[in-house]
Amino acid sequence: MTAVAPSNLAFIKYWGKVDDNLNLPANSSISMNLSGLTTTTTVDFDNQYKSDLVIIDGKKDEKESLRVTLHLDRIRKSAKIKLKARVVSQSNFPASTGLSSSASGFAALTLSASTAAGLKLTEKELSILARQASGSACRSIPSGFVEWKKGQTSNESFAYSLYPPYWWDLIDVVLVLSDGKKVVSTTDGQKLAFSSPFFTNRLERLESKIKKLKKSLAEKDFSGFGVLVENEALELHAVMLTSIPSLIYLHPETLFFMQEVTKWRKEGLEAYFSLNTGQALHILCQSKDLVRVKQKLAGFRNIKKIIINRPAGGAGIITSHLF
Amino acid sequence: MTAVAPSNLAFIKYWGKVDDNLNLPANSSISMNLSGLTTTTTVDFDNQYKSDLVIIDGKKDEKESLRVTLHLDRIRKSAKIKLKARVVSQSNFPASTGLSSSASGFAALTLSASTAAGLKLTEKELSILARQASGSACRSIPSGFVEWKKGQTSNESFAYSLYPPYWWDLIDVVLVLSDGKKVVSTTDGQKLAFSSPFFTNRLERLESKIKKLKKSLAEKDFSGFGVLVENEALELHAVMLTSIPSLIYLHPETLFFMQEVTKWRKEGLEAYFSLNTGQALHILCQSKDLVRVKQKLAGFRNIKKIIINRPAGGAGIITSHLF
């Protein structure tokens, strides 16, 4: 059984958990699925396997295999099966660069494995299940523009679609800037969220930020939206910089292009940046400005890869594929 | 009349004013004078001058000239003179790179101009006067390790020496990393301090931070001191990143070396970084480790200049000099 799921970009970030085991987040978050960043995952349960065999991007990875097996255990328990599985997962973008491969990866795994195990889950149930493997994966299940309600319990904490992909012709131009992988995993980084002296203040303002962001989405107010999204990305990094110990996820190249985007705005090209916990930079613009953004980027040699994303649907089963 | 004054590095930063005209700061701050970064300023009042003539680093600069004339007016008023002046000021380091040339510059100007005008001011009076020209200049008047008490009124807001330079053999290795000047002046940036949602929280914790920093100075506890200083620098930048509009003073090269210093610590070389509002990076280490720090830096081609600083005395009159 094969499923494909998009990665997503959070406009309002997920940072800090109130329950580490269940991945219950400290705040609700809002994201957009990304058309150009996907993971395709095939799961076969079969009694020929003595143990789970997990191949991610062509390689066996012990640490990730353990997370996959833990997730398969959740699904086996629900489906009341004991079969081991072969899992082959392939992303079309590099891992550990701030592009949320665990979001697309665990969303695709959740859908393919639960379907292969004979479970017929609703979107909400899939989102809840994906969340337990990797928080942000729950946002890659529904379609388009998505809200993840934090909830008080596991059953209340899931993502749902606010708008379909065609709601707004936003573009997210992703820059992959180096071959460097992050030193501290997002999972480990998340544990430090509450150590920042600014984290509580951030949480206090979040509901009001979410309200403003939803309004800008509803009205397709790109300027209001862009300012909010960029400020939110900087606020995330401000919280991480002031964690104890400090988390410095920004890379020199990332900072360079953040400042470029700021310059472009002064020149009349309206684009805004966003960041996750890695070196990749997300540049948000309107469809009409994509050509200009590409022209601006054409002169730079320090970009490894440019990936153009539009709002995308959620996770889906695919019936034929190439491996 | 010629005076020389050091620049200084704030361990606890000055960011945000409660009175823009008087430069009354939102919080007290603590700094060290820097032996390798100095400004030498000569002031002559003479009736041959029709207007103030101000030469800074060999050039006339209208914006800076205006600030200098405003400061000379304060001094003329106190001294009850009307003579115009010729001011020649030379720093041994580049301006607008985060090395606080206005601290050393206005401290040297305050001492040379007030002496030339016949005023005999105490250290406290000089510090209060220098503060009105540029806040951090008040810290470059007293010797060694310095505290600037915020005060409620102008007469209460001045700096004094906590310890003489020989108290502790700290080294501040300054890296000048590019020819780039900052886009937003510190003066303009300061006005945005209160717009950060985190600024009030910062102020609430400052007295306790100052207490801890003073304890680490008193005990010469380098590890405790280093962690505090580095966190404080990151907190300053977290506040600036979350200002509205955001202030991104970090440069790509600066970030690169911040991460290098973090790596060195993991390898057992105890060094910590600090930052101001520009591209220069301050690397703090103990005297015994200076050779190792220099060795670490020797391999990099992207450093424009390395300046080794030890704790320095305050502003002083010099009787012979070369121009």
Side-chain angles (χ1 to χ4, degrees), chain A residues 6-24:
Chain A
S7 180
N8 65 73
L9 170 67
F11 303 140
I12 300 289
K13 304 293 187 183
Y14 158 48
W15 194 248
K17 307 179 190 188
V18 292
D19 186 318
D20 269 350
N21 294 320
L22 288 170
N23 287 338
L24 293 180

Side-chain angles (χ1 to χ4, degrees), chain A:
Chain A
M1 190 59 64
T2 299
V4 62
S7 180
N8 65 73
L9 170 67
F11 303 140
I12 300 289
K13 304 293 187 183
Y14 158 48
W15 194 248
K17 307 179 190 188
V18 292
D19 186 318
D20 269 350
N21 294 320
L22 288 170
N23 287 338
L24 293 180
N27 60 274
S28 301
S29 54
I30 292 182
S31 63
M32 176 179 107
N33 287 334
L34 302 175
S35 63
L37 300 170
T38 59
T39 302
T40 305
T41 302
T42 301
V43 179
D44 299 304
F45 289 102
D46 197 301
N47 60 14
Q48 70 173 294
Y49 306 125
K50 298 264 153 53
S51 63
D52 295 328
L53 174 69
V54 180
I55 313 235
I56 298 173
D57 295 338
K59 280 178 293 200
K60 290 189 192 181
D61 173 327
E62 275 197 25
K63 207 179 163 194
E64 283 304 308
S65 289
L66 189 69
R67 268 178 98 182
V68 169
T69 288
L70 278 171
H71 199 48
L72 292 174
D73 286 345
R74 288 185 190 104
I75 290 162
R76 281 186 280 247
K77 200 178 162 192
S78 283
K80 298 187 178 91
I81 60 169
K82 300 221 160 175
L83 297 169
K84 300 296 177 188
R86 178 172 164 277
V87 175
V88 180
S89 184
Q90 182 72 44
S91 296
N92 68 349
F93 60 97
S96 295
T97 51
L99 293 174
S100 307
S101 58
S102 63
S104 51
F106 281 105
L109 177 70
T110 301
L111 181 56
S112 57
S114 63
T115 310
L119 293 171
K120 290 196 174 108
L121 302 178
T122 63
E123 183 184 282
K124 176 179 159 181
E125 289 166 333
L126 284 166
S127 183
I128 290 168
L129 187 55
R131 190 206 73 231
Q132 294 170 65
S134 174
S136 55
C138 78
R139 294 191 308 234
S140 288
I141 298 287
S143 182
F145 298 86
V146 164
E147 178 171 21
W148 172 13
K149 279 282 187 192
K150 65 175 177 177
Q152 301 291 319
T153 64
S154 185
N155 280 333
E156 286 171 15
S157 190
F158 59 91
Y160 68 98
S161 180
L162 291 168
Y163 299 104
Y166 54 79
W167 175 253
W168 199 7
D169 58 348
L170 281 181
I171 309 275
D172 174 21
V173 179
V174 162
L175 308 185
V176 181
L177 294 164
S178 83
D179 299 321
K181 307 283 181 185
K182 53 189 160 192
V183 180
V184 180
S185 74
T186 305
T187 307
D188 288 341
Q190 287 262 16
K191 291 176 187 157
L192 298 175
F194 284 89
S195 75
S196 163
F198 297 146
F199 190 65
T200 307
N201 174 283
R202 164 173 166 74
L203 288 186
E204 286 164 5
R205 287 179 292 103
L206 257 171
E207 281 306 314
S208 129
K209 283 186 102 166
I210 286 174
K211 208 175 271 180
K212 280 184 199 159
L213 192 103
K214 279 182 169 175
K215 189 163 176 279
S216 74
L217 276 180
E219 296 172 358
K220 298 172 195 169
D221 164 19
F222 186 65
S223 305
F225 167 83
V227 168
L228 280 169
V229 168
E230 195 173 290
N231 284 350
E232 168 68 358
L234 290 168
E235 184 171 308
L236 172 72
H237 282 266
V239 165
M240 297 190 298
L241 286 177
T242 52
S243 297
I244 297 165
S246 63
L247 284 168
I248 307 177
Y249 279 117
L250 288 173
H251 283 232
E253 302 85 354
T254 317
L255 192 56
F256 175 83
F257 283 100
M258 287 160 60
Q259 282 162 337
E260 283 299 306
V261 172
T262 308
K263 274 190 222 158
W264 301 347
R265 278 209 298 277
K266 285 185 187 147
E267 297 161 18
L269 171 56
E270 197 173 10
Y272 299 89
F273 61 77
S274 183
L275 305 157
N276 289 328
T277 54
Q279 41 108 340
L281 189 72
H282 295 260
I283 302 175
L284 290 155
C285 69
Q286 295 169 94
S287 188
K288 69 178 176 68
D289 289 325
L290 178 57
V291 172
R292 283 184 70 196
V293 168
K294 279 184 179 172
Q295 283 166 347
K296 286 284 186 190
L297 294 170
F300 294 104
R301 293 186 172 207
N302 48 352
I303 303 174
K304 297 273 171 188
K305 201 173 177 184
I306 298 179
I307 303 162
I308 311 290
N309 295 281
R310 294 167 188 279
I317 291 290
I318 51 177
T319 46
S320 78
H321 62 95
L322 298 167
F323 261 129

Side-chain angles (χ1 to χ4, degrees), chain B residues 63-111:
Chain B
K63 205 177 162 194
E64 283 303 307
S65 288
L66 189 69
R67 269 178 97 184
V68 169
T69 288
L70 277 171
H71 199 48
L72 292 174
D73 286 346
R74 289 184 189 103
I75 289 162
R76 281 187 279 247
K77 199 177 162 194
S78 281
K80 298 187 178 91
I81 61 170
K82 301 221 160 175
L83 296 170
K84 301 296 178 188
R86 178 172 166 276
V87 175
V88 179
S89 184
Q90 182 73 44
S91 295
N92 68 349
F93 61 97
S96 295
T97 51
L99 293 173
S100 307
S101 57
S102 63
S104 52
F106 281 105
L109 177 70
T110 300
L111 181 57

Side-chain angles (χ1 to χ4, degrees), chain B residues 199-214:
Chain B
F199 191 66
T200 307
N201 174 283
R202 165 172 164 75
L203 288 186
E204 286 165 6
R205 287 178 294 104
L206 257 172
E207 280 307 313
S208 130
K209 284 185 101 166
I210 286 175
K211 208 174 273 181
K212 279 184 198 159
L213 192 104
K214 279 182 169 175

Side-chain angles (χ1 to χ4, degrees), chain B residues 99-171:
Chain B
L99 293 173
S100 307
S101 57
S102 63
S104 52
F106 281 105
L109 177 70
T110 300
L111 181 57
S112 58
S114 64
T115 310
L119 293 172
K120 287 194 176 110
L121 302 179
T122 63
E123 182 184 282
K124 177 179 159 180
E125 288 165 335
L126 285 165
S127 182
I128 290 168
L129 187 55
R131 190 206 72 232
Q132 294 171 64
S134 174
S136 55
C138 78
R139 294 191 308 233
S140 288
I141 298 287
S143 182
F145 298 86
V146 164
E147 178 172 20
W148 172 13
K149 279 282 187 192
K150 63 175 177 175
Q152 300 291 321
T153 63
S154 185
N155 279 334
E156 286 171 15
S157 190
F158 59 91
Y160 68 99
S161 181
L162 291 168
Y163 299 104
Y166 53 79
W167 175 252
W168 201 7
D169 58 349
L170 281 181
I171 309 276

